[in-house]
Amino acid sequence: DQQVKQNSPSLSVQEGRISILNCDYTNSMFDYFLWYKKYPAEGPTFLISISSIKDKNEDGRFTVFLNKSAKHLSLHIVPSQPGDSAVYFCAASGYEKLTFGTGTRLTIIP
Amino acid sequence: EPEVTQTPSHQVTQMGQEVILRCVPISNHLYFYWYRQILGQKVEFLVSFYNNEISEKSEIFDDQFSVERPDGSNFTLKIRSTKLEDSAMYFCASRDPGQDIYEQYFGPGTRLTVT
């Protein structure tokens, strides 16, 4: 089941620069998309979401972009900070359940 | 800030034993979920629960699994006869009943080790 894919298992970014995390999906029935951040031995922490009727949502340093025709979403973090180092999961919702991607480990280099 | 809590943080059990994982969702939330993450794999949906009944379940959630909301605050996942492959992190999540609110808030997880 590869309905939600994050093709980059890891990403390193210099502190202060922009981090861009990508996610692709295949199921056109998904109508809501979310990004979660996860530290080891903790549960996923909700970051930001976007409805399929929008193409952008912004919350502070975090912006999510949705390209429905390409079935692609991305999370931009600017400026990146050392505390942003974690695993980031995108998730998609069509009814009740969330379908998660495999995650991207983001490392912010001081 | 309200949060989802889970107990125990780590449970070790022998194959074939029953386990109950406990969760206290955020107090005004009415939708409840269980997910699991096997080491090195993605977070997988198990079951959703609303209005005292299961609203959706995955193929993983077979007859060995059950959920219950025994009182106004707890939400439990029971595995009747554990198998080695049930070893995983189990996450409880809850969601606000408000319209157009889809964000699910997760607890810290219970690490289940089946030996």
Side-chain angles (χ1 to χ4, degrees):
Chain A
D1 180 359
Q2 291 285 314
Q3 294 190 76
V4 179
K5 285 191 285 192
Q6 294 175 254
N7 290 319
S8 299
S10 63
L11 175 69
S12 294
V13 174
Q14 207 78 33
E15 182 179 357
R17 307 293 286 267
I18 184 171
S19 296
I20 300 176
L21 298 102
N22 293 302
C23 179
D24 297 293
Y25 63 96
T26 57
N27 189 342
S28 56
M29 298 301 290
F30 290 141
D31 59 3
Y32 207 82
F33 303 90
L34 308 91
W35 283 95
Y36 285 84
K37 175 179 176 181
K38 188 178 182 303
Y39 294 115
E42 293 185 14
T45 301
F46 169 72
L47 273 178
I48 191 168
S49 60
I50 187 166
S51 163
S52 60
I53 62 172
K54 296 185 176 180
D55 54 19
K56 179 181 172 182
N57 188 28
E58 208 169 338
D59 184 2
R61 296 186 298 115
F62 302 93
T63 303
V64 56
F65 295 91
L66 175 62
N67 182 334
K68 278 189 68 178
S69 60
K71 295 193 175 68
H72 176 84
L73 63 154
S74 61
L75 173 68
H76 293 210
I77 306 172
V78 57
S80 300
Q81 298 173 353
D84 296 330
S85 294
V87 178
Y88 288 77
F89 291 95
C90 71
S93 174
Y95 177 52
E96 278 296 325
K97 71 179 187 182
L98 295 180
T99 301
F100 281 84
T102 48
T104 296
R105 180 177 302 280
L106 176 65
T107 303
I108 305 302
I109 304 163
Chain B
E1 187 174 326
E3 58 183 20
V4 177
T5 59
Q6 290 185 243
T7 54
S9 57
H10 190 189
Q11 174 87 47
V12 181
T13 189
Q14 287 192 322
M15 198 167 51
Q17 296 296 304
E18 174 183 287
V19 293
I20 297 176
L21 309 183
R22 291 182 166 79
C23 167
V24 178
I26 294 172
S27 62
N28 65 325
H29 288 188
L30 296 181
Y31 294 85
F32 313 116
Y33 309 86
W34 284 101
Y35 292 81
R36 78 173 185 190
Q37 185 180 28
I38 294 171
L39 188 63
Q41 297 185 23
K42 59 171 68 177
V43 177
E44 301 174 288
F45 168 79
L46 293 177
V47 66
S48 59
F49 191 85
Y50 171 70
N51 201 24
N52 280 321
E53 60 183 28
I54 290 173
S55 48
E56 190 176 355
K57 62 182 180 179
S58 72
E59 59 275 8
I60 302 168
F61 195 88
D62 61 21
D63 291 344
Q64 292 300 310
F65 291 87
S66 62
V67 289
E68 194 179 29
R69 187 152 164 83
D71 53 42
S73 60
N74 289 283
F75 179 52
T76 62
L77 173 70
K78 183 194 290 187
I79 310 175
R80 286 189 185 80
S81 177
T82 50
K83 308 186 203 66
L84 293 176
E85 54 265 37
D86 293 327
S87 294
M89 282 290 290
Y90 287 80
F91 295 107
C92 173
S94 68
R95 177 166 77 85
D96 190 295
Q99 196 174 15
D100 295 332
I101 298 176
Y102 296 91
E103 293 83 9
Q104 296 179 21
Y105 291 86
F106 286 76
T110 292
R111 179 173 298 283
L112 177 65
T113 302
V114 182
T115 61

